Amino acid sequence: MKKRELKITYAEFENENELKPSDRELLEKARLAADMAYAPYSNFYVGAALLLKNGKIISGNNQENVAYPSGLCAERVAIYAAGAAYPDSAIDTIAVTCKSKAFEVNEPLSPCGACRQAIAEYEMRHKTNIRILLMGEKGTIRMLESISDLLPFMFKAEELKK
Ligand code: THU
């Protein structure tokens, strides 16, 4: 038996002013999207904004349903909207923010497993890394250069061909 370690890397910023202007703008777009989320069951409002390599910005927010599993997270709403509108354009950066009606979110949002898998798919689809910016309502902004740092040991297309 061998014990192994896996290293992930990410950056943290205490203040939005430390970000480059295009990242600040993307976070703002994610915040605007969160405000328009449909989240009557959880009261947890998530917004995602994608900067595509073609310069377009696409945003999305969580869409809930009384049959709970029929709803969809903000990240996937945005990613699939981008895939539908601009199938040939890779995603450069995804910014995700959240807020709750019940409490103040002071931690960066941690995307769910299914959304991590969807981000991974789009890295593989376009063969480019996707930068990920995560924030709550306040506090630290977390930045990762690729989904590999959020989804180690991910399931990849090569697994189907072995
Ligand atoms: N949610 C997202 O939109 N993205 C995530 O990464 C985590 C969770 C949404 C789904 C649901 O509408 C609400 O947050 C509470 O789980």
PDB file of all heavy atoms in Angstrom, residues 123-136:
ATOM      1  N   GLU A 123     -14.416  22.005 -20.710  1.00  0.00           N
ATOM      2  CA  GLU A 123     -12.950  22.056 -20.873  1.00  0.00           C
ATOM      3  C   GLU A 123     -12.545  21.024 -21.921  1.00  0.00           C
ATOM      4  O   GLU A 123     -11.749  21.288 -22.806  1.00  0.00           O
ATOM      5  CB  GLU A 123     -12.225  21.771 -19.551  1.00  0.00           C
ATOM      6  CG  GLU A 123     -12.220  22.932 -18.595  1.00  0.00           C
ATOM      7  CD  GLU A 123     -11.086  22.860 -17.563  1.00  0.00           C
ATOM      8  OE1 GLU A 123     -10.355  21.846 -17.510  1.00  0.00           O
ATOM      9  OE2 GLU A 123     -10.945  23.839 -16.790  1.00  0.00           O
ATOM     10  N   MET A 124     -13.127  19.817 -21.810  1.00  0.00           N
ATOM     11  CA  MET A 124     -12.759  18.737 -22.746  1.00  0.00           C
ATOM     12  C   MET A 124     -13.290  19.040 -24.146  1.00  0.00           C
ATOM     13  O   MET A 124     -12.597  18.832 -25.135  1.00  0.00           O
ATOM     14  CB  MET A 124     -13.295  17.392 -22.246  1.00  0.00           C
ATOM     15  CG  MET A 124     -12.576  16.899 -20.996  1.00  0.00           C
ATOM     16  SD  MET A 124     -13.124  15.271 -20.463  1.00  0.00           S
ATOM     17  CE  MET A 124     -14.489  15.674 -19.388  1.00  0.00           C
ATOM     18  N   ARG A 125     -14.509  19.569 -24.191  1.00  0.00           N
ATOM     19  CA  ARG A 125     -15.119  19.851 -25.489  1.00  0.00           C
ATOM     20  C   ARG A 125     -14.255  20.800 -26.319  1.00  0.00           C
ATOM     21  O   ARG A 125     -14.052  20.592 -27.503  1.00  0.00           O
ATOM     22  CB  ARG A 125     -16.513  20.480 -25.272  1.00  0.00           C
ATOM     23  CG  ARG A 125     -17.210  20.853 -26.568  1.00  0.00           C
ATOM     24  CD  ARG A 125     -18.615  21.373 -26.347  1.00  0.00           C
ATOM     25  NE  ARG A 125     -19.215  21.672 -27.642  1.00  0.00           N
ATOM     26  CZ  ARG A 125     -20.444  22.114 -27.824  1.00  0.00           C
ATOM     27  NH1 ARG A 125     -21.229  22.296 -26.786  1.00  0.00           N
ATOM     28  NH2 ARG A 125     -20.905  22.369 -29.034  1.00  0.00           N
ATOM     29  N   HIS A 126     -13.755  21.855 -25.672  1.00  0.00           N
ATOM     30  CA  HIS A 126     -13.003  22.876 -26.403  1.00  0.00           C
ATOM     31  C   HIS A 126     -11.497  22.800 -26.166  1.00  0.00           C
ATOM     32  O   HIS A 126     -10.747  23.643 -26.644  1.00  0.00           O
ATOM     33  CB  HIS A 126     -13.531  24.271 -26.033  1.00  0.00           C
ATOM     34  CG  HIS A 126     -14.953  24.490 -26.471  1.00  0.00           C
ATOM     35  ND1 HIS A 126     -15.323  24.545 -27.795  1.00  0.00           N
ATOM     36  CD2 HIS A 126     -16.096  24.642 -25.759  1.00  0.00           C
ATOM     37  CE1 HIS A 126     -16.633  24.742 -27.878  1.00  0.00           C
ATOM     38  NE2 HIS A 126     -17.134  24.797 -26.652  1.00  0.00           N
ATOM     39  N   LYS A 127     -11.093  21.794 -25.399  1.00  0.00           N
ATOM     40  CA  LYS A 127      -9.665  21.578 -25.129  1.00  0.00           C
ATOM     41  C   LYS A 127      -8.976  22.827 -24.593  1.00  0.00           C
ATOM     42  O   LYS A 127      -7.882  23.193 -25.012  1.00  0.00           O
ATOM     43  CB  LYS A 127      -8.955  21.071 -26.402  1.00  0.00           C
ATOM     44  CG  LYS A 127      -9.509  19.732 -26.860  1.00  0.00           C
ATOM     45  CD  LYS A 127      -8.784  19.210 -28.099  1.00  0.00           C
ATOM     46  CE  LYS A 127      -9.311  17.867 -28.532  1.00  0.00           C
ATOM     47  NZ  LYS A 127     -10.748  17.844 -28.860  1.00  0.00           N
ATOM     48  N   THR A 128      -9.671  23.505 -23.676  1.00  0.00           N
ATOM     49  CA  THR A 128      -9.065  24.682 -23.015  1.00  0.00           C
ATOM     50  C   THR A 128      -9.449  24.656 -21.537  1.00  0.00           C
ATOM     51  O   THR A 128     -10.531  24.195 -21.177  1.00  0.00           O
ATOM     52  CB  THR A 128      -9.611  26.019 -23.578  1.00  0.00           C
ATOM     53  OG1 THR A 128     -11.032  25.973 -23.549  1.00  0.00           O
ATOM     54  CG2 THR A 128      -9.121  26.304 -24.973  1.00  0.00           C
ATOM     55  N   ASN A 129      -8.583  25.192 -20.720  1.00  0.00           N
ATOM     56  CA  ASN A 129      -8.920  25.344 -19.309  1.00  0.00           C
ATOM     57  C   ASN A 129      -9.976  26.430 -19.136  1.00  0.00           C
ATOM     58  O   ASN A 129     -10.020  27.384 -19.917  1.00  0.00           O
ATOM     59  CB  ASN A 129      -7.689  25.756 -18.496  1.00  0.00           C
ATOM     60  CG  ASN A 129      -6.731  24.594 -18.324  1.00  0.00           C
ATOM     61  OD1 ASN A 129      -7.029  23.466 -18.719  1.00  0.00           O
ATOM     62  ND2 ASN A 129      -5.589  24.877 -17.739  1.00  0.00           N
ATOM     63  N   ILE A 130     -10.798  26.275 -18.126  1.00  0.00           N
ATOM     64  CA  ILE A 130     -11.777  27.314 -17.792  1.00  0.00           C
ATOM     65  C   ILE A 130     -11.400  27.884 -16.436  1.00  0.00           C
ATOM     66  O   ILE A 130     -11.275  27.139 -15.454  1.00  0.00           O
ATOM     67  CB  ILE A 130     -13.212  26.728 -17.749  1.00  0.00           C
ATOM     68  CG1 ILE A 130     -13.588  26.170 -19.128  1.00  0.00           C
ATOM     69  CG2 ILE A 130     -14.210  27.786 -17.277  1.00  0.00           C
ATOM     70  CD1 ILE A 130     -14.957  25.468 -19.169  1.00  0.00           C
ATOM     71  N   ARG A 131     -11.186  29.188 -16.387  1.00  0.00           N
ATOM     72  CA  ARG A 131     -10.904  29.828 -15.096  1.00  0.00           C
ATOM     73  C   ARG A 131     -12.211  29.915 -14.318  1.00  0.00           C
ATOM     74  O   ARG A 131     -13.282  30.160 -14.891  1.00  0.00           O
ATOM     75  CB  ARG A 131     -10.341  31.232 -15.299  1.00  0.00           C
ATOM     76  CG  ARG A 131      -8.970  31.248 -15.959  1.00  0.00           C
ATOM     77  CD  ARG A 131      -8.569  32.639 -16.368  1.00  0.00           C
ATOM     78  NE  ARG A 131      -8.382  33.540 -15.238  1.00  0.00           N
ATOM     79  CZ  ARG A 131      -9.127  34.619 -14.993  1.00  0.00           C
ATOM     80  NH1 ARG A 131     -10.127  34.949 -15.789  1.00  0.00           N
ATOM     81  NH2 ARG A 131      -8.865  35.383 -13.969  1.00  0.00           N
ATOM     82  N   ILE A 132     -12.126  29.748 -13.009  1.00  0.00           N
ATOM     83  CA  ILE A 132     -13.335  29.718 -12.177  1.00  0.00           C
ATOM     84  C   ILE A 132     -13.187  30.728 -11.053  1.00  0.00           C
ATOM     85  O   ILE A 132     -12.211  30.688 -10.295  1.00  0.00           O
ATOM     86  CB  ILE A 132     -13.540  28.295 -11.598  1.00  0.00           C
ATOM     87  CG1 ILE A 132     -13.628  27.270 -12.745  1.00  0.00           C
ATOM     88  CG2 ILE A 132     -14.790  28.238 -10.727  1.00  0.00           C
ATOM     89  CD1 ILE A 132     -13.437  25.824 -12.302  1.00  0.00           C
ATOM     90  N   LEU A 133     -14.146  31.638 -10.970  1.00  0.00           N
ATOM     91  CA  LEU A 133     -14.150  32.660  -9.914  1.00  0.00           C
ATOM     92  C   LEU A 133     -15.362  32.416  -9.027  1.00  0.00           C
ATOM     93  O   LEU A 133     -16.489  32.348  -9.533  1.00  0.00           O
ATOM     94  CB  LEU A 133     -14.334  34.050 -10.536  1.00  0.00           C
ATOM     95  CG  LEU A 133     -13.137  34.756 -11.121  1.00  0.00           C
ATOM     96  CD1 LEU A 133     -13.618  35.956 -11.941  1.00  0.00           C
ATOM     97  CD2 LEU A 133     -12.215  35.239 -10.009  1.00  0.00           C
ATOM     98  N   LEU A 134     -15.136  32.293  -7.739  1.00  0.00           N
ATOM     99  CA  LEU A 134     -16.229  31.950  -6.820  1.00  0.00           C
ATOM    100  C   LEU A 134     -16.319  32.975  -5.699  1.00  0.00           C
ATOM    101  O   LEU A 134     -15.298  33.349  -5.107  1.00  0.00           O
ATOM    102  CB  LEU A 134     -15.967  30.565  -6.217  1.00  0.00           C
ATOM    103  CG  LEU A 134     -15.780  29.425  -7.222  1.00  0.00           C
ATOM    104  CD1 LEU A 134     -15.212  28.188  -6.531  1.00  0.00           C
ATOM    105  CD2 LEU A 134     -17.102  29.102  -7.919  1.00  0.00           C
ATOM    106  N   MET A 135     -17.537  33.387  -5.407  1.00  0.00           N
ATOM    107  CA  MET A 135     -17.708  34.350  -4.319  1.00  0.00           C
ATOM    108  C   MET A 135     -19.077  34.187  -3.675  1.00  0.00           C
ATOM    109  O   MET A 135     -20.019  33.692  -4.310  1.00  0.00           O
ATOM    110  CB  MET A 135     -17.574  35.776  -4.882  1.00  0.00           C
ATOM    111  CG  MET A 135     -17.471  36.834  -3.808  1.00  0.00           C
ATOM    112  SD  MET A 135     -17.264  38.479  -4.477  1.00  0.00           S
ATOM    113  CE  MET A 135     -17.395  39.415  -2.949  1.00  0.00           C
ATOM    114  N   GLY A 136     -19.206  34.551  -2.411  1.00  0.00           N
ATOM    115  CA  GLY A 136     -20.500  34.636  -1.760  1.00  0.00           C
ATOM    116  C   GLY A 136     -20.989  36.076  -1.897  1.00  0.00           C
ATOM    117  O   GLY A 136     -20.646  36.770  -2.855  1.00  0.00           O
TER     118      GLY A 136
END
